Amino acid sequence: MLSFKYKCSLCDLEYEISPELMLCPDCSLKQKPRQPLNGVLEVELSGTLKSENPLDFLPVDRNFFPSIPVGNTPLWHPKNLSAKVGLSELFLKDDGVNPTGSFKDRASFLVAAFARKYQIKEIVVASTGNAGSSMAGVGAAAGLKVKLFLPKNAPPAKMIQSLQYGAEVVIAEKNYDQAFSLSLEYSKLYGGLNRNTAYNPMTIEGKKTISFELLQQLKKEPDHIFVSVGDGVIISGIYKGFRDLLKLDLIKNIPVIHGIQASGSSAIYRAMKSGFFDFSPSKTVADSISVDVPSNGLLAKKNLENYGGHCILVTDEEILLAQKELSSTCGLFSEPASATAYAGLLKQKELINKNETCVVLLTGNGLKDIKSANKKIIIPKNSINSLEHLVPIGKGD
Ligand SMILES: *Cc1c(COP(=O)(O)O)cnc(C)c1O
């Protein structure tokens, strides 16, 4: 049997799990403006359990899970790419095949189950796009109402997707950081369960299922994992999963995790260099990791430092080229924030032994942002009426 508590990631104080509690009451009092959240809570697991199913290690019972197939995503070996980059044990984990097309479904799934357990009917969430569309879709499957705060510049596909699922969408005039504060204000005033990433502890906990799945699929822990970083919740979820597995005696080592940020949105990278979080407005083609103030910055940085992880930067150009290369060599069409992980692998590959097991975690489907994907392709200008002037396949320039 397993039991669960909350534990503050800053002061280590423990609390009973409850829907009223989001941040450590002590540490959150010391919150400064334009800084990552203080007092993010993590779920602390104790006990033992014999199970093959990653979902059995979550702090909400199975009967509250919405009936939508989140997770259990394919892990595969891309032969062409593996030969091209010279790494024999290269794997892609495609979380773009989740029901709403992104990794965010892992968090939304647990948040929805948690809301059902406590009979909460409305979820409030701020998002650059994917967390919102994910909560909208998974929420729809769970019979929940979703109020979504999106920044004005969110890619249209993500907003349309959310409206299709039936979410109520509010558009914040400025950016994601503004949407984040407005949504917190809203849920304090009008109630509902807030799903904001890192603020709601179930977001980190839901994302840990990836580590359990990787162990299940590879039959061992990988040596390296590459993942893009925005707010720093996915990376903390991965560490949380491997920490649980270590505690349960199911693995020996925590993999080396490479967190990749866009050079135009590099708050965690900068903080790892300088020791503190400075503020700088972000600008990158990878909208899903475009974050001025990473809400889970403190915990992401602490995890990377404690477990010998790396944080590196890639440019927008490198991201777009990585996106195109993944599509054209593997048939895996990924949104820019997702392809960022592969751009990071290309940067780090000299540090890796050829036969070490590397997993590139792909977090979002390419169709979510066709405007960016359009940048590295050429759409034919002219239409034709006959084959008269057409050049045969492979003979064109
Ligand atoms: C949210 C997101 C990320 C980054 O996750 P964080 O938890 O914010 O670091 C990466 N890729 C995609 C596609 C995302 O939607």
Side-chain angles (χ1 to χ4, degrees):
M1 272 290 285
L2 294 176
S3 62
F4 302 91
K5 275 196 182 126
Y6 280 153
K7 185 173 180 180
C8 175
S9 59
L10 274 187
C11 73
D12 286 347
L13 270 184
E14 293 190 339
Y15 302 92
E16 288 304 312
I17 293 180
S18 115
E20 281 82 43
L21 189 62
M22 289 291 181
L23 297 170
C24 170
D26 283 356
C27 294
S28 61
L29 287 177
K30 295 169 216 145
Q31 182 68 42
K32 301 232 171 67
R34 293 189 157 187
Q35 283 293 304
L37 291 174
N38 250 5
V40 167
L41 296 175
E42 281 191 288
V43 173
E44 186 74 7
L45 154 160
S46 44
T48 52
L49 180 72
K50 287 238 170 312
S51 164
E52 289 284 299
N53 189 339
L55 299 180
D56 287 340
F57 297 85
L58 295 173
V60 178
D61 282 348
R62 210 170 246 284
N63 51 321
F64 297 108
F65 291 168
S67 55
I68 184 168
V70 169
N72 202 11
T73 56
L75 177 81
W76 49 283
H77 174 65
K79 272 196 183 157
N80 298 345
L81 202 68
S82 172
K84 200 165 174 178
V85 300
L87 296 170
S88 58
E89 295 301 310
L90 177 64
F91 293 89
L92 305 177
K93 175 79 168 159
D94 186 7
D95 256 55
V97 307
N98 271 303
T100 80
S102 86
F103 189 99
K104 297 287 192 292
D105 287 356
R106 294 181 186 270
S108 302
F109 185 80
L110 185 59
V111 170
F114 187 84
R116 287 171 73 164
K117 173 172 174 178
Y118 292 98
Q119 294 166 353
I120 300 169
K121 301 272 182 278
E122 190 187 18
I123 312 258
V124 182
V125 57
S127 165
T128 58
N130 281 339
S133 52
S134 167
M135 196 65 248
V138 175
L144 299 164
K145 278 195 146 173
V146 177
K147 186 84 153 191
L148 169 58
F149 292 76
L150 283 179
K152 214 169 169 179
N153 63 356
K158 298 181 182 178
M159 184 183 309
I160 291 169
Q161 199 188 0
S162 307
L163 290 163
Q164 266 287 335
Y165 292 133
E168 281 178 35
V169 172
V170 181
I171 298 171
E173 176 67 32
K174 288 186 192 141
N175 54 11
Y176 168 56
D177 300 79
Q178 186 192 35
F180 198 96
S181 342
L182 286 172
S183 76
L184 286 186
E185 239 176 273
Y186 177 91
S187 50
K188 277 184 189 139
L189 268 176
Y190 301 112
L193 182 68
N194 193 297
R195 181 226 180 271
N196 283 8
T197 195
Y199 178 73
N200 186 324
M202 293 300 145
T203 55
I204 301 178
E205 188 67 5
K207 289 177 174 184
K208 82 175 185 185
T209 53
I210 188 80
S211 308
F212 285 75
E213 266 172 42
L214 285 174
L215 176 65
Q216 200 180 35
Q217 290 170 315
L218 288 168
K219 315 272 183 256
K220 60 172 184 181
E221 62 274 33
D223 298 306
H224 297 270
I225 298 177
F226 293 83
V227 60
S228 56
V229 177
D231 278 306
V233 175
I234 296 184
I235 202 165
S236 303
I238 298 173
Y239 276 119
K240 174 60 176 33
F242 285 115
R243 257 176 29 227
D244 281 358
L245 289 167
L246 206 57
K247 202 168 182 182
L248 293 160
D249 225 7
L250 295 171
I251 57 167
K252 295 266 178 302
N253 298 302
I254 296 208
V256 178
I257 300 181
H258 304 253
I260 327 293
Q261 295 212 284
S263 50
S265 178
S266 59
I268 293 177
Y269 170 85
R270 295 197 309 273
M272 290 195 54
K273 295 268 172 230
S274 68
F276 60 90
F277 283 86
D278 59 3
F279 179 85
S280 162
S282 55
K283 191 173 182 332
T284 165
V285 67
D287 66 285
S288 305
I289 49 169
S290 182
V291 177
D292 297 350
V293 181
S295 56
N296 202 36
L298 295 176
L299 180 55
K301 175 171 171 286
K302 179 171 139 184
N303 277 327
L304 282 162
E305 287 168 351
N306 283 355
Y307 296 106
H310 300 267
C311 187
I312 64 156
L313 299 182
V314 292
T315 63
D316 276 8
E317 180 64 13
E318 287 168 327
I319 293 172
L320 292 172
L321 289 172
Q323 179 188 33
K324 183 67 171 53
E325 186 166 290
L326 271 179
S327 306
S328 60
T329 26
C330 309
L332 198 161
F333 180 27
S334 216
E335 70 168 284
S338 173
T340 298
Y342 174 58
L345 168 86
L346 292 178
K347 275 236 153 121
Q348 296 286 82
K349 71 175 181 191
E350 308 308 330
L351 302 177
I352 294 165
N353 284 332
K354 300 222 169 322
N355 46 10
E356 284 182 308
T357 307
C358 293
V359 173
V360 180
L361 183 54
L362 297 158
T363 43
N365 187 298
L367 289 172
K368 281 177 166 276
D369 180 8
I370 52 171
K371 199 164 141 229
S372 302
N374 201 8
K375 293 188 178 174
K376 291 285 170 217
I377 57 162
I378 300 166
I379 296 178
K381 274 199 211 65
N382 304 317
S383 51
I384 61 167
N385 284 311
S386 81
L387 294 183
E388 209 178 328
H389 300 292
L390 199 66
V391 185
I393 192 163
K395 299 273 166 61
D397 51 20

